[in-house]
Structures are given as C-alpha cells and as structure tokens.
Amino acid sequence: MTKAISPRSRKVRILATLGPASSTPEMIETLFHAGADAFRINMSHGDQVSKVPVFEAIRALEKKLGRPSTILADLQGPKLRVGRFADGKVVLRTGHEFILDRDKTPGDETRVELPHREIFEAAHTDARLLLDDGKLVLRVVSASADRMTTVVEVGGPLSNSKGLNVPDMVLPLAALTEKDRSDLSFAVEMNADWIALSFVQRPEDLMEARRLIGGKAALLAKIEKPSAIARLEEIMEQCDGVMVARGDLGVELPPQSVPPLQKRIVETARRMGRPVIVATQMLESMIESPSPTRAEVSDVATAVYDGADAIMLSAESAAGKWPIESVAMMNSIADAVERDPGHGDRVHFTVTKPDPTTADALAEAAKNIAKTVSASAIVCFTSSGSTVRRIARERPLVPIMGLTPKIETARRLGLLWGTHAVHTRDVESFEEMVAKAKRMVLRHHLAAAGDRVIICAGVPFKTPGSTNVLHVVTIVGDELKTYRGPEGG
C-alpha cells in the first residue's frame, strides 16, 4: 500500500512555473515539498523536445508520491512585433513623426516595418501603440492598408523585433497561431491537464482551442487584454478557468486600473464557479533576492484574502536564483493569511448564489452544514469533477476531498481551492460509499475518531451529473482497522 500524502493545510493552491532553474526531477520534487501544488510549462520558451522530460518528471513524481499531479501548458499566443532596423537600434524622439508600414526594408529613426496586416485594418485615429512593454508610446495620426503615421508621445531607444501592444484596438487575429496549434497538439499528447490560451479578446477565441483539445484537457483563458474585460462573463462561459495575467494587462492599461480589475475578475470567476489564478510579478524581486519586498508580500496576501483558487510564480521559480525560496515564501504567506481569524469572513465577501439545481443546492448546504456541526471535511464522489467545483465555489471552512475513478479528473482538480483529489475505484452501493469516505478521510489525515464528515454523491452511482445525496457521518475509532483492500479500494 502506498503511504498517503497528507493534504496541504492551506486551501489556496500554488502554481509554479518550471524553467531553466527548476526542470530537473530533483528540483521539481523539492518544489513540491516546498509548497507547489501544480506546475506550469511555458510553451513560449524552448522547443517541444526539451519539454518531454519535464512532463515525464512530473508524472514520475505523481507515481512516487501516490498523489495526482497537475500540469498547465501555457500557449504563447499571437506575438506582435515591429521589424528590424538597419543599425539594430534607433532612438525615437518625443513629438516627432514615426511611420509604420509593410515595407521589409530595414528601418531607421523615421520608419520601420510592421509585419501585421491586421493592425493596419483595425487602426484608427488617436489609437495608441505601446512598444517594448509600454516603455514607448505612439499615437496614430492616420492609417491606410499598408501605412500608418504616428506621433511619438513617449520616446526612447527601440531595437529590433520589440513587442507591440495595441490596447485601443480589437484585432481580427486568429486566437491560435500555427505554433500554438502545434504546441496544443503536443501538450494534449503529453496529457497536460490544463491548456492556457493567451491574449483572449472575445469568447469566440476559445472555440477552436476547445475543438482541438477534444475534451482531453481543461481550457483556461488568460485575461490580459482590455477588450476581454468588456465581455468577461461571455468568455468565462466558454472556458473552464481563468488567469488574471497582470503582466500584459498592466502594459495595456494604466497601472492603477489593474488592482480593481483583478478583484472584478476574481469575483466574477468565483460567482460563475470557474477556478481563478492570480499571476505575474507576485514575488518579482525574488528573481534576484532571497527575500521579497513587503509590498510583494501584501500583494500575494491580497489575492489569498480575495479567495483566488491559485497564485502563480513565473520567472521567480522558472529562471530566478531562488526558486525553492520563492515557493516556500509564497507557501508561508498563504498559510499565515489563512490562519488569520478574519480570513474566512473576507473570503466570503463575494456572494456566490447557487443556480436552481439540486447539485448547487447540495453544494451550498454542504458548506453550511459543515460549519453548523463543525465537520472536519467534505467528501465528494465525482466523475467529471463538476460537483467538487460547485463545493469549492462556496469556499467551505473545511477541506474538500474529491474521490474519482478518473485520473484525468483528479489531476484537473489540483487547481481548485481547498481540494485534495484522490484517484480511487468507484463505489457500487450506499453502504460502500459511506465506508469508503470514512476510510479515506482517516488515511489522508483529514479526520479522526469522533469527527463528523459530510458526504456528497450521486445515486445511481457511476452516473455523471447525478449529485443528489448529502449525508453526515461520524468517524468511530476502528474504521480504518476494518479495511482490508488495496490502496484505492
């Protein structure tokens, strides 16, 4: 029998990006023990061949620890860039005219190629163009099908192939580039659990990705474009989860606009029952320093108080000097916040009204009953994971154990708030359900003799979407001793 790994004491999940500083099997295991619950593989860097050992190392760790692992593959998305300069670099002067055109001739201080036909089609007078992560700002004066005249509002040095952001335009770009399609196919083949789609602008952007995934992974929308905010609920209807990608969002919007938008996205996702990740620059100084700034600590704490399902490390764990310390610090911040007596009240500032369904009614009841009778855990038997998501949306004060016969479901649940997923055989009867729930909470140290546990399930068993049972049981001292089957039985 594999020894069960105890669940995390905290409920918010930690998503760690893997990269040059953290891709070996030894480092991945160390990051897990430091607090990482799930791992992000960024498809923007490196080739697919280099990613294979990373996928394999995560799954090998899953087998070693006997605990489902969660992998999020993050697609690059369409990258907008200017062309090249004759001298490799120029300086744009504030107040001067600058031309963007379709001419491939290397540029100078007066013009450069812009190899994106869609921008010329969408351009309009007074639209802003942000270059090099917003360091330079151009304002459109006039535009045609192959030429755009701008005035430099904020000048500075500009070099070859720097990135371009267009916050005032909705571009008729395909949501998936050829690279994205190839990377998506590869990630699905490698059994990634979540696929993250970058630069989502509208709900239609998610449809092709959903079709290509074919139900083999969950789909996550990265909210990093101002145009996505206007159709936020429609976008969330088309995906399984969202990420507040504050990096590009903070380039295309004034910095002061990002915090209220972050709260709005988190609140909307929670209300709609979609797991939400807060990401980018959370402990940015720890790329170089072994300790964060006090402002960064406060930033992480705010996301935890807001009730985000997961908080993410990017370059801190992927390429920084202190990947282990970054994960450990995020873990300790989250743990401290959740020990705050006021944390539960703050998390419930967001009102999550149940839909008029039996499953939603039971999810809300499970949270309330757990609080009323001081239960130690909520155990949910699930096939697709939908009931666990409904319960997690309610942010109960006790851990949620998701028991599922599908390893794919168990892995996807790794991004859900307060959820400890277990891959196990399904049950055949009500009596077996009760006995198994008791055994599992004891084995995974979620309850002890004398504790009450809430059980949610669907009858008839093995029928997805049939959740209709809520049962309260009390653990007695010899429950685990009566168990004679193999692990997962």
Side-chain angles (χ1 to χ4, degrees):
M1 182 188 301
T2 303
K3 184 179 179 181
I5 300 292
S6 296
R8 306 286 191 197
S9 60
R10 57 173 161 74
K11 295 179 174 62
V12 67
R13 308 291 88 176
I14 293 176
L15 175 62
T17 302
L18 302 179
S22 55
S23 290
T24 66
E26 296 77 16
M27 182 59 82
I28 292 170
E29 182 171 357
T30 301
L31 293 182
F32 169 82
H33 288 298
D37 300 290
F39 298 98
R40 171 179 174 253
I41 298 177
N42 189 353
M43 303 306 296
S44 298
H45 305 295
D47 57 22
Q48 293 174 3
V49 173
S50 68
K51 301 291 193 297
V52 172
V54 183
F55 277 92
E56 292 176 342
I58 298 170
R59 295 305 188 215
L61 179 63
E62 171 182 272
K63 186 174 182 181
K64 178 179 179 179
L65 299 179
R67 175 170 175 164
S69 57
T70 303
I71 301 174
L72 182 146
D74 195 337
L75 305 181
Q76 176 176 284
K79 288 286 187 180
L80 306 177
R81 301 184 185 278
V82 298
R84 303 179 66 82
F85 296 94
D87 295 327
K89 184 177 181 179
V90 298
V91 175
L92 302 189
R93 288 181 288 176
T94 301
H96 285 228
E97 184 179 275
F98 189 70
I99 304 297
L100 299 158
D101 56 37
R102 304 291 303 282
D103 185 352
K104 295 183 180 296
T105 304
D108 54 29
E109 290 187 354
T110 66
R111 61 153 297 277
V112 74
E113 179 197 10
L114 181 60
H116 302 287
R117 173 182 51 80
E118 298 88 352
I119 297 179
F120 292 93
E121 293 177 356
H124 55 85
T125 302
D126 281 340
R128 290 169 299 153
L129 305 178
L130 309 180
L131 297 164
D132 194 9
D133 289 334
K135 296 182 181 71
L136 290 80
V137 180
L138 311 179
R139 182 79 63 172
V140 176
V141 175
S142 62
S144 65
D146 55 10
R147 179 184 173 90
M148 198 183 311
T149 302
T150 73
V151 62
V152 180
E153 290 196 342
V154 179
L158 181 65
S159 54
N160 292 336
S161 305
K162 283 297 182 181
L164 174 74
N165 292 81
V166 288
D168 302 329
M169 306 178 198
V170 177
L171 299 180
L173 286 171
L176 293 171
T177 65
E178 285 304 314
K179 171 178 168 54
D180 291 333
R181 291 187 185 91
S182 175
D183 287 342
L184 188 154
S185 177
F186 165 77
V188 169
E189 184 180 337
M190 295 301 298
N191 296 316
D193 308 299
W194 287 83
I195 304 292
L197 189 60
S198 297
F199 302 111
V200 173
Q201 298 185 92
R202 49 196 168 248
E204 295 81 6
D205 290 345
L206 296 157
M207 294 177 182
E208 182 183 5
R210 175 76 74 188
R211 179 180 61 80
L212 293 173
I213 290 171
K216 296 179 180 178
L219 178 60
L220 184 137
K222 293 171 67 178
I223 308 300
E224 50 196 332
K225 300 283 290 182
S227 54
I229 302 300
R231 304 183 69 182
L232 188 59
E233 292 195 12
E234 294 175 82
I235 287 171
M236 288 192 189
E237 289 284 359
Q238 298 297 324
C239 65
D240 303 299
V242 295
M243 179 188 293
V244 189
R246 304 179 306 176
D248 276 275
L249 197 59
V251 170
E252 300 208 358
L253 288 168
Q256 66 271 19
S257 299
V258 176
L261 279 178
Q262 173 178 317
K263 289 185 177 294
R264 177 181 166 191
I265 296 166
V266 171
E267 180 180 355
T268 304
R270 286 191 52 195
R271 181 166 44 80
M272 296 182 67
R274 302 295 192 272
V276 55
I277 303 167
V278 176
T280 322
Q281 298 177 331
M282 300 207 80
L283 295 175
E284 183 86 352
S285 66
M286 290 193 74
I287 296 173
E288 297 290 339
S289 170
S291 59
T293 67
R294 300 301 179 266
E296 289 168 340
V297 172
S298 181
D299 179 43
V300 173
T302 295
V304 180
Y305 277 120
D306 286 346
D309 288 83
I311 45 182
M312 191 181 96
L313 292 165
S314 301
E316 302 97 326
S317 59
K321 295 180 180 178
W322 309 94
I324 300 168
E325 291 79 1
S326 297
V327 172
M329 176 56 67
M330 186 167 269
N331 179 71
S332 64
I333 296 167
D335 190 54
V337 169
E338 293 188 4
R339 288 200 309 270
D340 175 8
H343 171 255
D345 290 337
R346 291 179 182 274
V347 163
H348 290 107
F349 280 169
T350 297
V351 177
T352 52
K353 294 181 180 179
D355 292 332
T357 65
T358 301
D360 264 27
L362 290 179
E364 185 181 38
K367 178 197 72 173
N368 294 332
I369 294 172
K371 181 178 180 180
T372 301
V373 305
S374 299
S376 294
I378 298 172
V379 180
C380 181
F381 289 81
T382 185
S383 176
S384 67
S386 62
T387 304
V388 178
R389 287 193 296 274
R390 287 185 174 97
I391 296 173
R393 183 182 75 163
E394 300 299 323
R395 300 298 189 257
L397 299 177
V398 299
I400 306 163
M401 172 175 272
L403 301 180
T404 178
K406 295 184 177 181
I407 185 61
E408 297 84 5
T409 297
R411 289 167 174 168
R412 292 176 198 176
L413 293 177
L415 286 181
L416 259 66
W417 191 90
T419 299
H420 180 68
V422 179
H423 178 221
T424 180
R425 287 196 296 273
D426 212 344
V427 293
E428 303 285 344
S429 67
F430 187 89
E431 292 75 15
E432 186 183 356
M433 174 194 77
V434 172
K436 185 163 199 165
K438 291 179 177 181
R439 290 197 306 268
M440 286 298 182
V441 293
L442 285 168
R443 181 181 301 158
H444 291 262
H445 315 292
L446 287 175
D451 289 349
R452 289 190 177 97
V453 172
I454 312 295
I455 304 174
C456 291
V459 178
F461 295 103
K462 300 183 180 181
T463 305
S466 66
T467 302
N468 55 10
V469 170
L470 192 152
H471 190 57
V472 183
V473 298
T474 301
I475 306 295
V476 297
D478 59 351
E479 297 284 357
L480 194 57
K481 295 178 183 177
T482 63
Y483 172 62
R484 294 290 182 268
E487 171 71 23

